[in-house]
């Protein structure tokens, strides 16, 4: 099994460029199915989740032509409306293929999506199923598969009982080719949703309000092909910013959108991490001392759950106690056990809250990455620790961070991959 081996304590500095956003690309690839015309995607990150997504779309009959960070998708001839069971099981975002299939063919068959184990049981899809039914689809429960079909999707008004990112994106895509008007209320407001809506509008959709809690979609007859450049990954940018803060060093993060990281940067002001921004760069400067600050994860524009685990590592370096309150996923704090093994002083209050008492000197350990964001946090912890950290199950990290070892080496990190 491949591992990352990190010799901690090396001084880090320099410039690192952010790649295209995983959670934007994972929606744009399926959105190509809404049209019979080809789509060209640029700035596509080379990560495992994107490989899986392209394998899934290819199994539907789409011709995929990928070179470097560009990918052409020819969606003219779809051969099946059924998602491959084995592939869909590896990727939570396989659920994103359902809405475009249903919108274009009035039918989709799919297994329960797989992916990171970070939420209750297998992460639920009840909101998607309820929303598709509100748009007029019939749900048939088959052995191992959900089966949705409709004569034609009909515009509707739907209030999300829980704010859901992929739920919002799915109903948005389903409504684009529905007859009449759809109003989505209590919609998620993440920048990736705005990017998806802007792209769909560029290729013929009529969507207003994306980025606010109420999105209105006027159904259209046709979506065209076209081109799209994937936006920068705000979670990757935030992760590098936290690494720089924890290592108390200067790192310049380029190709990013600091305006998508306001919640993190407002906290940096409170905890004494100096930084400067331009429209597409973020420079973190060495902090003299890091102060503690409580966080509570929240839907955008609040503090992102995907930055909670790196921030928890940062708080092990703060002078004093901080409470980390994870409100979105009930298994995302379990990784703190690994930080405790590294010498952190962390008390788990309940599955949603830990108290971190700092500062503590972390020590290298042998660890296993339970999920993507916990995995990158162990890398950060390993880089600032004394001694050697070995991280197993690195597929979970490579799912979302392109060439992470070599990119960190360019900052001076001593990290290598062994097979
Ligand atoms: N939920 C339900 N029922 C549903 C859908 C969601 O109960 O049908 C619950 C979830 O269990 C969770 C809450 O609603 O407790 C919110 O989850 P949401 O649906 O917003 O999450 P998601 O859309 O599945 C996306 C990202 C996640 C990110 C969350 C929150 C993608 C592909 N995934 O997930 O990214 O953490 O939004 O911002 O966009 C990651 O990149 O590591 C990652 C997990």
């Amino acid at each position: 099994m491949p591992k990352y081996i990190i010799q901690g304590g090396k001084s880090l500095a320099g410039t690192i460029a952010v790649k295209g956003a995983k959670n934007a690309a994972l929606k744009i690839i399926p959105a190509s199915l809404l049209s019979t015309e080809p789509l060209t995607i640029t700035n596509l990150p080379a990560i495992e989740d994107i490989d899986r997504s392209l394998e899934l779309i290819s199994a539907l009959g789409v011709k995929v032509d990928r070179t470097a960070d560009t990918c052409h998708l020819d969606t003219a001839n779809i051969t099946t409306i059924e998602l491959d069971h084995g592939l869909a099981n590896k990727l939570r975002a396989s659920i994103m293929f359902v809405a475009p299939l249903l919108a274009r063919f009035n039918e989709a068959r799919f297994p329960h999506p797989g992916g990171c184990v970070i939420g209750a049981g297998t992460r639920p899809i009840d909101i998607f199923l309820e929303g598709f039914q509100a748009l007029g689809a019939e749900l048939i429960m088959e052995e191992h598969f959900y089966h949705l079909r409709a004569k034609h999707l009909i515009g509707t008004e739907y209030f999300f009982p829980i704010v859901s990112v992929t739920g919002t994106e799915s109903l948005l895509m389903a409504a684009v080719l529905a007859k009449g008007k759809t109003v989505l209320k209590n919609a998620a407001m993440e920048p990736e949703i705005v990017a998806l809506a802007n792209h769909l509008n560029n290729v013929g959709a009529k969507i207003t309000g994306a980025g606010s809690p109420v999105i209105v979609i006027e159904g259209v007859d046709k979506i065209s092909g076209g081109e799209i450049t994937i936006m920068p990954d705000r979670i990757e940018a935030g992760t590098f910013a936290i690494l720089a803060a924890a290592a108390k060093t200067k790192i310049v993060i380029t190709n990013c959108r600091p305006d998508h990281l306001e919640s993190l940067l407002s906290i940096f002001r409170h905890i004494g991490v100096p930084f400067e921004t331009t429209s597409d760069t973020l420079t973190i400067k060495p902090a003299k001392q890091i102060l503690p600050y409580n966080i509570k994860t929240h839907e955008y524009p609040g503090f992102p759950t995907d930055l909670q685990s790196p921030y928890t590592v940062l708080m092990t370096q703060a002078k004093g106690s901080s409470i980390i309150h994870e409100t979105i996923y009930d298994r995302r704090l379990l990784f703190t056990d690994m930080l405790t093994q590294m010498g952190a002083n962390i008390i788990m209050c309940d599955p949603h809250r830990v108290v971190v008492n700092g500062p503590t000197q972390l020590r290298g350990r042998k660890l296993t990455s339970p999920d993507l964001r916990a995995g990158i946090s162990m890398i950060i912890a390993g880089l600032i620790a004394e001694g050697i950290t070995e991280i197993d199950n690195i597929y979970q990290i490579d799912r979302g961070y392109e060439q992470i070892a070599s990119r960190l080496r360019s900052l001076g990190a001593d990290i290598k991959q062994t097979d």
Side-chain angles (χ1 to χ4, degrees):
M1 287 277 273
K3 289 179 186 179
Y4 285 133
I5 314 274
I6 301 165
Q7 171 69 60
K10 300 283 172 193
S11 44
L12 307 177
T15 299
I16 190 160
V18 171
K19 301 289 178 182
K22 167 178 87 74
N23 287 346
L26 287 173
K27 327 302 167 54
I28 297 294
I29 293 169
S32 68
L33 292 171
L34 290 167
S35 175
T36 54
E37 297 171 9
L39 181 71
T40 300
I41 307 174
T42 53
N43 200 31
L44 196 63
I47 54 176
E48 294 285 349
D49 271 11
I50 295 301
D51 296 349
R52 297 296 85 72
S53 182
L54 291 174
E55 285 163 18
L56 257 171
I57 204 166
S58 162
L60 294 172
V62 171
K63 284 198 194 112
V64 178
D65 181 6
R66 189 180 184 190
T67 41
D69 69 352
T70 299
C71 182
H72 302 278
L73 299 174
D74 179 347
T75 55
N77 299 308
I78 305 299
T79 50
T80 174
I81 51 84
E82 181 175 307
L83 290 189
D84 180 274
H85 197 287
L87 288 171
N89 243 313
K90 290 185 188 151
L91 185 68
R92 167 77 185 173
S94 61
I95 191 76
M96 297 313 301
F97 288 89
V98 176
L101 283 174
L102 190 59
R104 178 162 155 195
F105 300 102
N106 295 313
E107 193 171 6
R109 191 182 279 114
F110 57 101
H112 199 87
C116 277
V117 182
I118 52 177
T122 50
R123 286 158 70 189
I125 59 164
D126 51 310
I127 295 171
F128 298 78
L129 299 177
E130 188 180 87
F132 293 139
Q133 289 175 93
L135 282 159
E138 178 194 7
L139 171 66
I140 304 147
M141 299 295 285
E142 297 172 354
E143 204 179 352
H144 308 305
F145 280 95
Y146 301 93
H147 185 183
L148 288 164
R149 64 180 178 203
K151 269 212 177 91
H152 205 297
L153 296 182
I154 312 283
T156 190
E157 223 181 89
Y158 183 75
F159 187 97
F160 286 95
I162 302 176
V163 177
S164 166
V165 176
T166 46
T168 300
E169 292 162 328
S170 288
L171 295 200
L172 181 73
M173 285 198 269
V176 151
L177 291 174
K179 280 194 198 308
K181 176 168 141 179
T182 298
V183 181
L184 302 178
K185 295 182 178 171
N186 199 25
M189 302 191 285
E190 270 64 6
E192 293 76 15
I193 298 172
V194 178
L196 175 65
N198 287 345
H199 162 64
L200 290 173
N201 282 340
N202 284 340
V203 291
K206 286 189 182 157
I207 303 166
T208 52
S212 83
V214 181
I215 304 180
V216 180
I217 305 118
E218 295 282 354
V220 294
D221 292 335
K222 179 177 181 279
I223 293 292
S224 313
E227 275 187 38
I228 170 148
T229 300
I230 301 295
M231 63 186 276
D233 196 309
R234 67 193 162 94
I235 301 301
E236 188 174 86
T239 304
F240 294 149
I242 290 174
L243 167 64
K248 294 191 176 151
T249 188
K250 178 176 171 183
I251 291 181
V252 181
I253 302 158
T254 59
N255 294 359
C256 68
R257 289 279 306 264
D259 57 325
H260 290 163
L261 285 169
E262 279 184 292
S263 60
L264 177 67
L265 296 179
S266 78
I267 287 172
F268 275 8
R269 283 190 195 97
H270 284 97
I271 66 176
V273 175
F275 65 88
E276 274 172 14
T277 61
T278 66
S279 61
D280 61 357
T281 65
L282 170 59
T283 303
I284 306 297
K285 296 179 174 173
K288 286 195 187 76
Q289 187 183 54
I290 299 165
L291 300 173
Y293 199 81
N294 301 343
I295 58 151
K296 189 172 176 179
T297 60
H298 197 279
E299 295 83 15
Y300 190 84
F303 193 92
T305 171
D306 296 341
L307 287 179
Q308 173 267 108
S309 36
Y311 183 81
T312 303
V313 176
L314 177 60
M315 284 299 98
T316 67
Q317 304 308 300
K319 191 174 179 345
S321 302
S322 46
I323 300 171
I324 311 295
H325 188 167
E326 170 57 62
T327 65
I328 315 269
Y329 296 115
D330 53 12
R331 296 192 197 179
R332 259 203 170 161
L333 281 173
L334 297 184
F335 90 103
T336 54
D337 189 38
M338 311 236 185
L339 295 180
T340 306
Q341 288 175 40
M342 295 179 84
N345 179 345
I346 299 180
I347 300 159
M348 182 161 278
C349 310
D350 59 48
H352 285 278
R353 280 173 308 164
V354 294
V355 176
V356 185
N357 299 307
T360 44
Q361 172 63 58
L362 302 179
R363 289 181 299 276
R365 285 285 178 270
K366 288 188 176 178
L367 307 167
T368 297
S369 169
D371 78 78
L372 170 63
R373 307 303 176 188
I376 195 73
S377 307
M378 285 171 203
I379 291 186
I380 297 175
L383 290 172
I384 61 170
E386 251 172 22
I388 294 176
T389 297
E390 257 185 57
I391 305 175
D392 222 331
N393 196 24
I394 64 171
Y395 175 81
Q396 282 298 340
I397 301 173
D398 298 343
R399 278 186 44 225
Y401 297 91
E402 179 175 332
Q403 298 285 337
I404 194 64
S406 65
R407 288 162 76 210
L408 291 173
R409 276 198 297 274
S410 75
L411 294 175
D414 184 345
I415 171 170
K416 56 178 189 269
Q417 183 177 329
T418 62
D419 289 321

